[in-house]
Amino acid sequence: VVWTRAFTPVLKTTIYAFAAVLATYLCATWVGSALYRMHLRRGMAAGVDKLLAMLFLASLLPLVMNDPRWHESSVLVLLSLVPISLLLGYMTPQLVDDHARGEPGAAGSAYAVNVVGCILGPLLSGYVLLPVFGVKWALLLMALVYPLFMVGRAAARADKVTTVAKLAGVAALLVALFSTRTHEDPSVYTNAEVRRDATASVVAHGEGMKKRLLVNGVGITELTSVTKVMAHLPLVMRQNPPKSTCVICFGMGTTFRSLGSWGGNFTAVELVPSVCDSFGFFWDDAEEVAGRTGARIVVDDGRRFLSRTEEKFDLITIDPPPPVEAGGSSLLYSSEFYAVLRERLSDTGVLQQWFPGGEKKIAQAVVNTLKESFPYLLVCRSFEFAGQEMPSDMLAGVHLLASNHPLEIPTVDQAIERMPEAAKVDILEFLPGINLKAGWKLVLDQFVPVETMLPEDSSILITDDRPYNEYFWLRRAFADK
């Protein structure tokens, strides 16, 4: 649990990252167990005191070897997990054998204790150590278990290997305490605020227009007019002002703030509590916006919120966390989710689905899934990439606009006429020197035919049980759909 959060900046957020950590742990554990059985047969099994000393050092290696200022190598990260996994794989069956001494009931009791620890350990790590102490101190506290056991055993003699391991462990502990940094350390960034909860570690950092939001060390968003367009573009396609709007994935709160400029009820749903708590870091008027009549910020899973509410929205805008391959993100691109969205839209409601850019085949799968889920769909490329050429297998950001009601692209004058004064001010906030007409012309010129974004194989869709965007390695490695 702690490793997954600690090394997300390097291993990233795909399903292959967790799979790599798990595979490394399991394989190293298996090797350690096999070594123990081999050594036991030969009568040369290592003593517990030696193993504890080596475990003390090995438990600190993942922390001291992976300071984010030193490298971004996933190979080194995974290799740093091998020694402790191998040693625990060696020691666990040894402890069971020492306790049981051939008695099946005693062996079962020992394994039962181990299973209880496997249940309580992740709960303690996820809900106490990580939120309260953070990644660095969670790893340190777990590493200090081994010297405590060494002191408790009070071994009278120690061989050279044990002595060297203890000294190296003390040196590693000093490095970890006074030198090592993690992605949660404010000193790694400029002007940073760090917040932690049971869901994630959140860093808000930077100054002026260079402010950024990181979740578990991975960049989520920055101050950009694109997140304003996610609110304003779908709303100018409607002839009447919205009564109720909703944004799924809060981020910096830019889209939520823009929705507020249209009046009516506006809701934001965010999974990570600390992301919502960072709203004030990015906006001086955050408290005033959140306190407006009709404003609501909900900490919940976006899909679960929409599945349970009976409220209808004139706009639902979704900005899934990047990258598009992120583990679990398919739940915000799937046909089952779009079925929920259709039920939550008003008769003239619009869905704005943001595709953050990436593999063209994934973009085609997203568009095709939307086309199969909604009777009306429009595709608008991000104005930020206007005039730029992308590699043939990649695609820049795209606004996908879907509805149960016919959609018509407004003229520039219509778009401006439909906006309240507060919204006109809001959309130009990051675009000094550009007037509304020029700005809207740039945005509205980016619409492209839906047909140009569809896959050749119409069966390529994203569903809950076929997360096409998340499972990409074989497709890219062997050019197979």
Side-chain angles (χ1 to χ4, degrees):
V1 171
V2 180
W3 286 344
T4 300
R5 185 180 295 194
F7 305 131
T8 297
V10 176
L11 299 178
K12 305 308 178 187
T13 56
T14 70
I15 54 99
Y16 301 109
F18 179 74
V21 171
L22 183 61
T24 300
Y25 160 73
L26 290 174
C27 289
T29 301
W30 171 73
V31 170
S33 297
L35 281 174
Y36 165 67
R37 293 300 175 192
M38 183 179 70
H39 288 173
L40 184 64
R41 288 192 298 270
R42 297 177 180 178
M44 51 182 290
V48 172
D49 295 302
K50 180 184 292 185
L51 292 172
L52 284 172
M54 291 190 292
L55 274 167
F56 176 40
L57 172 61
S59 64
L60 291 165
L61 291 180
L63 181 59
V64 300
M65 286 180 60
N66 297 298
D67 191 309
R69 300 169 298 176
W70 296 349
H71 71 84
E72 294 184 357
S73 170
S74 57
V75 173
L76 287 179
V77 168
L78 296 174
L79 286 176
S80 72
L81 311 182
V82 170
I84 182 174
S85 301
L86 188 149
L87 288 168
L88 288 173
Y90 191 106
M91 191 177 194
T92 301
Q94 182 189 52
L95 291 174
V96 172
D97 285 349
D98 288 348
H99 175 74
R101 299 189 178 278
E103 184 65 36
S109 298
Y111 275 114
V113 170
N114 190 53
V115 170
V116 171
C118 290
I119 295 171
L120 297 181
L123 294 174
L124 176 68
S125 300
Y127 291 98
V128 179
L129 295 181
L130 285 173
V132 176
F133 300 104
V135 165
K136 178 175 177 177
W137 283 100
L139 289 171
L140 282 171
L141 288 171
M142 288 188 286
L144 291 175
V145 168
Y146 303 110
L148 286 177
F149 276 121
M150 284 190 291
V151 171
R153 288 180 62 83
R157 299 181 60 185
D159 58 20
K160 290 183 179 180
V161 173
T162 303
T163 301
V164 170
K166 288 179 178 178
L167 293 174
V170 172
L173 179 61
L174 293 174
V175 172
L177 284 170
F178 300 109
S179 176
T180 301
R181 300 289 183 267
T182 69
H183 68 83
E184 295 180 346
D185 196 318
S187 66
V188 176
Y189 311 96
T190 300
N191 184 35
E193 292 182 4
V194 179
R195 295 174 175 85
R196 294 185 296 267
D197 54 55
T199 308
S201 299
V202 174
V203 178
H205 73 97
E207 297 174 340
M209 288 298 295
K210 294 185 179 181
K211 290 180 179 179
R212 296 190 67 203
L213 176 69
L214 309 179
V215 176
N216 289 341
V218 176
I220 298 298
T221 187
E222 57 190 20
L223 294 176
T224 170
S225 291
V226 171
T227 46
K228 290 178 175 290
V229 173
M230 292 177 195
H232 298 301
L233 176 60
L235 288 175
V236 299
M237 302 187 74
R238 292 168 36 86
Q239 295 184 8
N240 299 314
K243 294 180 180 179
S244 183
T245 56
C246 179
V247 56
I248 304 298
C249 302
F250 189 76
M252 289 180 170
T254 307
T255 307
F256 175 71
R257 187 169 170 269
S258 295
L259 290 177
S261 68
W262 283 79
N265 297 324
F266 56 111
T267 300
V269 186
E270 170 58 47
L271 181 64
V272 183
S274 294
V275 168
C276 301
D277 295 338
S278 301
F279 190 25
F281 179 87
F282 302 107
W283 302 102
D284 294 335
D285 61 353
E287 187 174 344
E288 183 270 325
V289 172
R292 289 179 190 169
T293 301
R296 177 175 53 161
I297 300 176
V298 179
V299 177
D300 197 355
D301 174 78
R303 179 164 170 175
R304 186 174 70 167
F305 169 80
L306 291 173
S307 297
R308 294 189 300 176
T309 187
E310 294 297 322
E311 188 173 356
K312 296 279 188 175
F313 299 98
D314 294 318
L315 167 65
I316 299 176
T317 181
I318 309 172
D319 183 9
V324 70
E325 299 91 348
S329 65
S330 63
L331 296 176
L332 295 178
Y333 294 108
S334 71
S335 57
E336 291 87 349
F337 180 47
Y338 292 147
V340 173
L341 290 170
R342 285 190 63 179
E343 293 297 317
R344 299 277 59 83
L345 288 175
S346 65
D347 292 340
T348 59
V350 181
L351 164 68
Q352 190 277 162
Q353 168 81 71
W354 171 247
F355 178 82
E359 184 186 358
K360 192 171 184 179
K361 288 185 177 181
I362 294 179
Q364 291 173 338
V366 173
V367 174
N368 197 37
T369 306
L370 267 171
K371 182 177 177 295
E372 294 296 317
S373 302
F374 285 86
Y376 303 99
L377 176 65
L378 294 176
V379 177
C380 183
R381 298 173 300 184
S382 174
F383 75 91
E384 282 195 328
F385 299 94
Q388 297 184 23
E389 291 189 10
M390 296 289 292
S392 59
D393 60 340
M394 300 295 288
L395 197 75
V398 176
H399 302 277
L400 302 170
L401 304 159
S403 179
N404 299 316
H405 184 269
L407 293 172
E408 183 178 339
I409 302 172
T411 65
V412 170
D413 290 336
Q414 286 174 330
I416 295 173
E417 182 182 348
R418 291 171 182 175
M419 297 180 75
E421 291 302 316
K424 294 176 182 178
V425 173
D426 178 83
I427 196 170
L428 294 178
E429 186 174 11
F430 298 157
L431 301 171
I434 296 182
N435 59 44
L436 274 174
K437 283 198 171 186
W440 271 119
K441 186 178 187 311
L442 181 60
V443 171
L444 297 175
D445 281 349
Q446 306 311 312
F447 279 92
V448 297
V450 174
E451 291 72 24
T452 63
M453 294 284 294
L454 296 175
E456 294 181 5
D457 183 352
S458 60
S459 68
I460 296 178
L461 301 167
I462 298 177
T463 63
D464 285 352
D465 60 350
R466 288 183 177 271
Y468 185 87
N469 58 314
E470 295 182 36
Y471 289 82
F472 56 86
W473 185 79
L474 289 176
R475 181 175 69 251
R476 294 177 185 175
F478 301 103
D480 182 20
K481 74 172 183 178

